[in-house]
Amino acid sequence: MSLKSTENRWGSVARMLHWLMALAIIGNGIVGLVMDEMPRGMSKLNTFAIHKSIGLTVLALLVLRASWRLFDRKPDDEPMPRWQRLAAHATHGVLYLLMLAIPLSGWIYNSAHGYALQWFKLFNLPALSEKNDALSDFAGDTHEILFWVLAVVLVAHVGGALVHHLFERDNTLLRMLPFARLRPKNKGDQP
Ligand code: HEM
Ligand code: HEM
């Protein structure tokens, strides 16, 4: 199994980062929604701390993933109409922007609100701004709205992957999955 991507499939680093981040982002979104409804108290504070630490981890993984992507190649697109290719690329671009903007808006919200910030109680991170109520409100609203934008874009992203897998019967999904055997492209091709 190759670390780097080839013309036919994503390498193991790109695949591992994709699924690790997908799990962390979706999981952290659920934690965010749940913690918002929790009664005040220690467990709410602890859940906030875990939410922020997972979010910061996503930010660090994004830096790693974007750097790897510059160094790695992208597999060639599976055959598909031009509009679909453009839509898929645009969706991926928006997903990268959201993976940056959601944790950053959370960090700005946290800073402008005057909360301290730690990564899993191991070390402190600096505030990105002075205490500022207007900025805190804006960043908090942005954080929540961008999360719902992500949820909508993800429906299109996952829907697209499933349509390719189930109806086009191509390798779009399989080449991103760990341990999956690729479908032969044409009769006689090696998988
Ligand atoms: C993958 C990254 C992240 C996702 C998907 C995410 C998602 C969410 C969601 C869905 C909420 C609930 C919004 C609401 O109903 O009001 C929330 C709240 C919050 N998030 Fe995040 N978040 C992420 C990263 C971060 C980071 C890095 C920080 C801070 C460093 C942060 C700080 C907060 C805070 C303080 C709240 C509570 C806002 C309030 O009091 O209403 N988040 N987040
Ligand atoms: C928070 C969740 C997710 C995010 C942020 C995300 C983001 C991305 C991004 C940015 C790419 C493009 C990679 C690149 O060009 O460097 C990608 C590719 C891909 N994603 Fe996701 N993804 C998520 C969840 C999922 C899920 C749940 C599925 C399952 C159906 C999925 C299936 C795929 C597939 C099949 C590709 C490869 C597309 C291709 O080879 O052209 N993703 N994802």
Side-chain angles (χ1 to χ4, degrees), residues 10 18-19 22 25-26 65 69 92 95-96 99 154 157-158 161 172-173 175-176:
W10 293 93
H18 176 272
W19 292 111
I25 293 168
I26 294 169
R65 180 170 178 185
R69 178 71 154 74
H92 295 161
L95 285 170
Y96 273 119
M99 285 190 278
L154 270 184
H157 181 61
V158 174
T172 304
L173 177 60
R175 70 190 195 164
M176 186 47 109

Side-chain angles (χ1 to χ4, degrees), residues 140-191:
D141 289 349
T142 306
H143 191 59
E144 188 182 355
I145 291 167
L146 290 183
F147 171 74
W148 289 113
V149 172
L150 172 73
V152 172
V153 177
L154 270 184
V155 171
H157 181 61
V158 174
L162 291 180
V163 166
H164 275 274
H165 186 70
L166 299 173
F167 300 108
E168 311 286 341
R169 301 194 65 75
D170 65 19
N171 282 316
T172 304
L173 177 60
L174 292 175
R175 70 190 195 164
M176 186 47 109
L177 290 177
F179 316 119
R181 275 175 71 90
L182 295 188
R183 291 165 171 157
K185 278 192 178 154
N186 297 301
K187 244 181 156 184
D189 274 0
Q190 286 302 311

Side-chain angles (χ1 to χ4, degrees), residues 55-85:
L56 291 170
T57 311
V58 167
L59 203 54
L61 288 173
L62 177 68
V63 174
L64 207 70
R65 180 170 178 185
S67 317
W68 179 259
R69 178 71 154 74
L70 293 177
F71 164 78
D72 196 17
R73 63 160 294 163
K74 181 184 181 300
D76 296 339
D77 288 316
E78 291 286 303
M80 65 180 91
R82 199 174 116 83
W83 70 265
Q84 252 181 44
R85 193 189 317 273

Side-chain angles (χ1 to χ4, degrees), residues 18-127:
H18 176 272
W19 292 111
L20 186 64
M21 289 186 73
L23 196 73
I25 293 168
I26 294 169
N28 214 30
I30 295 170
V31 173
L33 295 175
V34 169
M35 76 188 188
D36 210 38
E37 303 297 320
M38 287 171 77
R40 282 168 178 269
M42 269 321 280
S43 40
K44 180 165 186 160
L45 283 179
N46 288 335
T47 314
F48 264 61
I50 291 171
H51 175 81
K52 294 178 205 172
S53 299
I54 297 175
L56 291 170
T57 311
V58 167
L59 203 54
L61 288 173
L62 177 68
V63 174
L64 207 70
R65 180 170 178 185
S67 317
W68 179 259
R69 178 71 154 74
L70 293 177
F71 164 78
D72 196 17
R73 63 160 294 163
K74 181 184 181 300
D76 296 339
D77 288 316
E78 291 286 303
M80 65 180 91
R82 199 174 116 83
W83 70 265
Q84 252 181 44
R85 193 189 317 273
L86 291 176
H89 291 180
T91 306
H92 295 161
V94 172
L95 285 170
Y96 273 119
L97 284 179
L98 290 169
M99 285 190 278
L100 176 69
I102 293 175
L104 262 190
S105 57
W107 192 344
I108 294 171
Y109 168 75
N110 199 69
S111 311
H113 208 275
Y115 292 134
L117 185 58
Q118 286 191 326
W119 189 75
F120 292 110
K121 294 191 180 163
L122 290 175
F123 54 83
N124 298 326
L125 281 116

